[in-house]
């Protein structure tokens, strides 16, 4: 620990004895297939800090994978959840509805890009939302083909596994996968031929679609505006607008998977807004309800309403407690202007990451927007991925009590997803630990 530490409190090694004991119990009861980045067992969380079973306090630069955008245990969320849990926890919206569900859908209509009439339907997870966006697109267009990009991540259900690019660990051994899914190249500025513009990358994708599927067979092009698990890949300017324009010309739906990028994460309410792209359908989840399971598909009224009554839904979708959390979360994002807070995080972190890249030579690319930031680790002077170094940097941060996540097709990206409400001094401390970890591990 550094002498200036004020927020982290490391009482034991990480993980400490209490967490290790729980980890052992877990091994006897929990499926091995579900893994944890950092096996400290959390007992409370507050203000961007996690406290574990050993009394250690860690800085959270992951937000539970871009979920607790508003922070942990936020009063507006806690109060609404408590009240709702005391009133009723479930009726099933398909059996007997309630106001909270309607209110969330009204908020989504207001907040998502585009001034057109919109409808929403609520689910429990991001994968479920993406899957239902495809169902809607197929009914609305009467077509079947779904186009996705290299490096895409859309979830772990059968259909969304098919949409996801990376085999291990997401797909390997889990097939067969759903048919009528087509993968085309996207835009990855750091790894594309230097100088390729967004428009050119889109033209290459479109050419592939037209040759291999035919524009009139495409129900939807499903795109993460900034690719998440694939490596926080921010496409070159012009890529998304060109793809969206082509979809409109062909009668295919442009579906934005904003599960990770949504709810102020990138400094806008939704990442599509950055280039003025208005999706036909938008899938949201992670940041929507401060951690309670909730997801949504929002889209043009005539498209969403093409599915007849009974065609969409689920027992738990739009659970009243989750809706209460979403309303508290949205209220907090608005009241605290956390879109601006996200930009401020980027304004502080990006220059520091760039300086670190220049200093150490092991970071080939620094990218991202707002509070969705990444450093891609390579062998110095090349674009050759260095996943081993990436792993060591993350482990060194964890040992020092800073939760960072990795991602990327090549496993060589450290990503930062701090709560948008993270106080500046906590962010500063977290970044200082990361910088030191990179310096030490790069020299090792
Ligand atoms: C996390 C994620 C999903 C899947 O969401 P779950 O809630 O884990 O099912 C889908 N798309 C993107 C872009 C994601 O980041």
């Amino acid at each position: 620990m550094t002498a200036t530490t004020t927020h982290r409190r490391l009482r034991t090694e990480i993980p400490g004895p209490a967490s290790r004991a729980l980890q052992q119990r877990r091994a006897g009861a929990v499926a091995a297939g579900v893994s944890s980045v950092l096996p400290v067992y959390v007992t409370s969380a507050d203000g961007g800090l996690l406290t574990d079973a050993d009394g250690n306090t860690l800085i959270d630069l992951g937000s539970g994978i871009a979920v607790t955008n508003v922070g942990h245990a936020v009063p507006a969320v806690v109060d609404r959840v408590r009240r709702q849990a005391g009133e009723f926890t479930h009726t099933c919206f398909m059996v007997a509805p309630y106001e909270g569900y309607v209110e969330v859908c009204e908020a989504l209509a207001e907040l998502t890009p585009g001034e057109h009439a919109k409808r929403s339907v609520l689910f429990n997870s991001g994968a479920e939302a993406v899957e239902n966006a495809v169902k809607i697109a197929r009914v609305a267009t009467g077509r079947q083909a779904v186009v996705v990009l290299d490096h895409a991540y859309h979830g772990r259900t059968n259909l969304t596994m098919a949409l996801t690019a990376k085999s291990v660990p997401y797909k390997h051994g889990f097939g067969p996968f759903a048919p009528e899914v087509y993968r085309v190249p996207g835009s990855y500025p750091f790894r594309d031929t230097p100088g390729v513009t967004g428009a050119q990358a889109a033209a290459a994708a479109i050419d592939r679609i037209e040759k291999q599927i035919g524009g009139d067979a495409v129900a939807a092009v499903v795109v993460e505006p900034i690719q998440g698990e694939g490596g926080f890949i921010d496409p070159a300017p012009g890529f998304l607008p060109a793809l969206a324009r082509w979809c409109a010309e062909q009668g295919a739906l442009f579906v934005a998977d904003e599960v990770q990028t949504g709810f102020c994460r990138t400094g806008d309410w939704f990442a599509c807004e950055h280039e003025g792209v208005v999706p036909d359908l938008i899938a949201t989840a992670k940041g929507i309800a401060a951690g309670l399971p909730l997801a949504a598909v929002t889209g043009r009224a005539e498209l969403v309403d093409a599915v007849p009554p009974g065609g969409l839904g689920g027992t738990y979708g739009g659970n009243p407690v989750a809706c209460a959390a979403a309303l508290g979360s949205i209220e907090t994002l608005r009241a605290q202007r956390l879109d601006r807070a996200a930009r401020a995080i980027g304004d502080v972190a990006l220059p520091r990451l760039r300086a670190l890249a220049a200093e150490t030579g092991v970071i080939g690319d620094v990218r991202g927007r707002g509070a969705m930031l990444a450093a891609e680790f390579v062998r110095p002077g090349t674009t050759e991925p260095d996943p081993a170094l990436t792993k060591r940097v993350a482990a060194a941060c964890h040992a020092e009590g800073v939760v960072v996540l990795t991602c990327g097709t090549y496993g060589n990206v450290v990503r930062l997803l701090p709560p948008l409400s993270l106080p500046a001094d906590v962010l500063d401390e977290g970044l200082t630990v990361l910088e030191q970890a990179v310096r030490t591990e790069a020299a090792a």
Side-chain angles (χ1 to χ4, degrees), residues 65 124-130 153-157 160 224 226-229 257-261 285-286 294-295 415:
I65 320 186
N124 306 293
S125 70
E128 225 189 326
V130 173
Y153 180 86
H154 298 292
R156 295 173 179 271
T157 59
T160 57
E224 300 157 88
I226 296 179
Q227 292 184 306
E229 304 304 302
D257 177 350
E258 293 240 17
V259 168
Q260 192 158 162
T261 49
K286 292 188 168 104
L294 191 71
R415 56 171 154 172

Side-chain angles (χ1 to χ4, degrees), residues 188-336:
Y188 192 162
F190 178 60
R191 296 194 171 277
D192 289 346
T193 309
V196 169
T197 66
Q200 287 166 337
I206 289 164
D207 184 60
R208 183 78 70 86
I209 299 168
E210 289 181 339
K211 299 292 187 308
Q212 298 191 1
I213 314 162
D216 62 356
V218 176
V221 177
V222 181
V223 176
E224 300 157 88
I226 296 179
Q227 292 184 306
E229 304 304 302
F232 278 30
I233 304 165
D234 189 358
F239 177 79
L240 295 174
L243 210 51
R245 213 162 28 241
W246 179 86
C247 285
E249 288 161 11
Q250 301 295 321
L253 306 196
F254 184 87
V255 178
D257 177 350
E258 293 240 17
V259 168
Q260 192 158 162
T261 49
F263 292 93
C264 301
R265 173 54 57 189
T266 64
D268 292 300
W269 271 83
F270 296 96
C272 280
E273 293 169 45
H274 187 65
E275 290 191 90
V277 169
V278 177
D280 298 303
L281 301 175
I282 176 167
T284 54
K286 292 188 168 104
I288 193 174
L292 273 82
L294 191 71
V297 180
T298 302
R300 295 183 190 279
E302 68 280 12
L303 301 174
V304 177
D305 284 345
V307 179
L312 301 172
T315 306
Y316 295 116
N319 169 274
V321 183
C323 286
L327 295 170
S329 177
I330 290 167
E331 180 187 312
T332 305
L333 289 164
R334 277 184 161 139
Q336 299 183 5

